[in-house]
Amino acid sequence: MTNNDGIDRESETPLQAVLLCDSFTNTFRPASLDTPKVLCPLNNVTLIDYTLQWLHSQQVQEVVVFAVNQADKIERHFGRSSWSSLMKITIVKNTDCSNPGDALREIDKQAIVRSDPFICVSGDVVANIETAKAIAEHKKRKAVDSANMMTVMLKQVPVHSNLRTVSDDLVVGMNEDTNQIVLFEDNLAESAVQLPSSFMDAHKSMVVRADLSDTGVYICSPDVLARFSDEFDYRSIGKKFICNSVAEEEEGLQNRIFAHVLDSK
């Protein structure tokens, strides 16, 4: 079937999502000692079911579920649910992973992500974000340059707000014209951020913002997984991969990462 835009929809790779069941933090202790965090209930619905419902609403057809802590309980949850009738569910269990970077490296090793782009999200994200526009923009940028490999979904919030966690002190610098991120810092130990002067030449119109929160939703090309496999120091997506990638001063070395800022309403 060919749509009005001339694209053969039947030949397209189904949109996939990588769902990380572990946040690799202790923020839900002691509730998560006997129950995986993603299986904790919110209004009598488990957190992971909110995430899956949202992914289904975004036309995701295949979900790679990566589980580390109490993975058997998560697998049994899917056995009792009806999600497999709505989307293809692939469960990957690996108890040796200690951080999100390890999880993404294992997924890359198994070569089970084919869609470009795919959505990467934590299983405890409760969201109603619309991703269609961000995905379309990502595809357009990737068609121009393969180095354009990720789009970060950011939400505008008041600087002093209970919507930000205690550890959330994110400062984002980006090109106002293209939304390319050139600074991504979340370091409470520092009172100032530094930006190489060479970036001023490359990006004539820049803005530095402290009113954005990382939603934990990322539109990624499969190249992102390969970069994690190439660099074992990447233990997290935001504080390591994004921060280090955008800090590369030499243009040819940069993994270009862009922001999609959601409506504040």
Side-chain angles (χ1 to χ4, degrees):
M1 180 181 68
T2 302
N3 211 343
N4 292 333
D5 55 10
I7 298 175
D8 186 354
R9 298 300 181 194
E10 291 185 354
S11 66
E12 282 193 325
T13 303
L15 178 60
Q16 292 177 292
V18 169
L19 191 157
L20 302 177
C21 290
D22 295 83
S23 59
F24 302 98
T25 65
N26 296 326
T27 53
F28 262 44
R29 295 283 179 94
S32 59
L33 286 173
D34 296 322
T35 302
K37 181 179 179 181
V38 294
L39 296 186
C40 290
L42 177 63
N43 289 336
N44 296 319
V45 177
T46 62
L47 291 174
I48 197 171
D49 285 336
Y50 283 109
T51 309
L52 291 163
Q53 181 60 53
W54 169 70
L55 289 173
H56 184 249
S57 74
Q58 299 308 299
Q59 311 305 312
V60 170
Q61 295 173 268
E62 299 182 10
V63 182
V64 177
V65 178
F66 195 93
V68 179
N69 180 45
Q70 304 181 76
D72 290 341
K73 291 183 179 180
I74 292 170
E75 187 172 38
R76 286 197 295 271
H77 176 77
F78 278 93
R80 295 190 298 265
S81 73
S82 60
W83 290 115
S84 60
S85 66
L86 300 173
M87 300 177 286
K88 179 181 177 182
I89 305 293
T90 301
I91 299 176
V92 179
K93 299 188 292 182
N94 189 315
T95 57
D96 296 328
C97 295
S98 61
N99 56 73
D102 285 347
L104 295 179
R105 281 184 280 272
E106 180 63 25
I107 290 171
D108 184 47
K109 185 168 69 175
Q110 296 198 20
I112 50 180
V113 173
R114 303 175 308 281
S115 73
D116 190 0
F118 66 93
I119 298 174
C120 184
V121 63
S122 173
D124 58 359
V125 169
V126 179
N128 61 356
I129 297 170
E130 289 296 331
T131 60
K133 183 178 179 182
I135 289 175
E137 291 172 349
H138 176 94
K139 287 182 175 180
K140 188 179 296 184
R141 286 191 292 261
K142 184 72 185 298
V144 173
D145 190 338
S146 62
N148 301 332
M149 61 174 53
M150 178 186 276
T151 300
V152 183
M153 306 290 282
L154 299 172
K155 174 73 175 178
Q156 183 177 355
V157 296
V159 176
H160 302 290
S161 167
N162 57 10
L163 296 176
R164 300 173 76 104
T165 63
V166 174
S167 60
D168 184 0
D169 200 26
L170 182 63
V171 176
V172 180
M174 55 188 173
N175 186 314
E176 277 193 295
D177 297 325
T178 65
N179 275 3
Q180 181 180 344
I181 298 175
V182 297
L183 174 71
F184 197 90
E185 292 287 349
D186 186 3
N187 190 345
L188 293 172
E190 301 293 336
S191 59
V193 294
Q194 296 182 352
L195 189 65
S197 58
S198 59
F199 283 7
M200 302 299 180
D201 296 328
H203 305 278
K204 302 299 184 183
S205 178
M206 273 188 48
V207 60
V208 177
R209 299 180 61 171
D211 64 336
L212 298 174
S213 181
D214 186 347
T215 65
V217 177
Y218 310 98
I219 311 300
C220 307
S221 293
D223 298 335
V224 170
L225 299 176
R227 293 302 173 97
F228 270 90
S229 293
D230 291 341
E231 180 53 75
F232 280 81
D233 285 341
Y234 290 155
R235 296 172 56 85
S236 65
I237 298 174
K239 290 187 177 182
K240 289 295 183 181
F241 177 72
I242 299 175
C243 180
N244 290 357
S245 295
V246 302
E248 291 284 0
E249 291 188 56
E250 190 173 337
E251 187 69 20
L253 297 178
Q254 284 183 316
N255 304 323
R256 296 195 190 92
I257 298 175
F258 293 79
H260 183 87
V261 180
L262 299 165
D263 195 327
S264 59
K265 295 180 181 179

